[in-house]
Amino acid sequence: MSRLDAFDLNAKDMYQYGSEANQDQVQRFAADLGKPVTAGSDTHQCLQFGSVYNELQMPCESAAELKDAIMQGAYQLHVSDSLPVKVKASVMLKKLMKEIIRLQSPSAVI
């Protein structure tokens, strides 16, 4: 774990385990290892976009500049007040899309 540069908050985990509880757990774990915490970018559905995000305080044009900004703490992590609705809608959309694909499959039995 010490080889990692930072830890991230994942919107789906925050939804599943409770936003504050998950944030506290990740923040404590990261602090014990002396690592920063960022908002995760693992958004698979458009409805979940913006649930958590980072606002950089400096322009970054490369991965190295982004890493420097994070390591310097030159960012602010934001958690949307609508995170539960965004994630729930995303989960529901994913299930619906899988069902549509299943029904369109030539081997589907109706």
Side-chain angles (χ1 to χ4, degrees):
M1 292 290 195
S2 63
R3 295 187 314 175
L4 298 174
D5 294 321
F7 291 92
D8 72 329
L9 290 174
N10 177 289
K12 192 170 180 184
D13 289 343
M14 293 173 73
Y15 171 76
Q16 184 174 356
Y17 302 114
S19 182
E20 288 184 33
N22 185 256
Q23 284 184 70
D24 290 344
Q25 183 179 27
V26 172
Q27 292 283 1
R28 281 194 316 269
F29 186 71
D32 287 347
L33 294 171
K35 304 293 180 179
V37 174
T38 64
S41 62
D42 191 25
T43 298
H44 294 263
Q45 299 292 334
C46 61
L47 298 175
Q48 191 174 327
F49 185 78
S51 297
V52 293
Y53 62 95
N54 303 297
E55 182 179 356
L56 298 172
Q57 298 168 357
M58 59 179 32
C60 298
E61 296 182 13
S62 68
E65 289 178 357
L66 177 59
K67 180 179 174 180
D68 287 343
I70 292 169
M71 301 312 268
Q72 293 173 28
Y75 68 98
Q76 185 174 5
L77 188 151
H78 295 276
V79 178
S80 172
D81 291 337
S82 59
L83 180 142
V85 173
K86 288 175 173 281
V87 175
K88 179 68 174 176
S90 176
V91 168
M92 292 171 69
L93 178 60
K94 184 176 181 179
K95 286 181 182 178
L96 180 60
M97 290 172 63
K98 284 183 175 182
E99 182 64 13
I100 289 170
I101 290 168
R102 185 189 69 77
L103 290 173
Q104 291 179 342
S105 171
S107 62
V109 178
I110 300 177

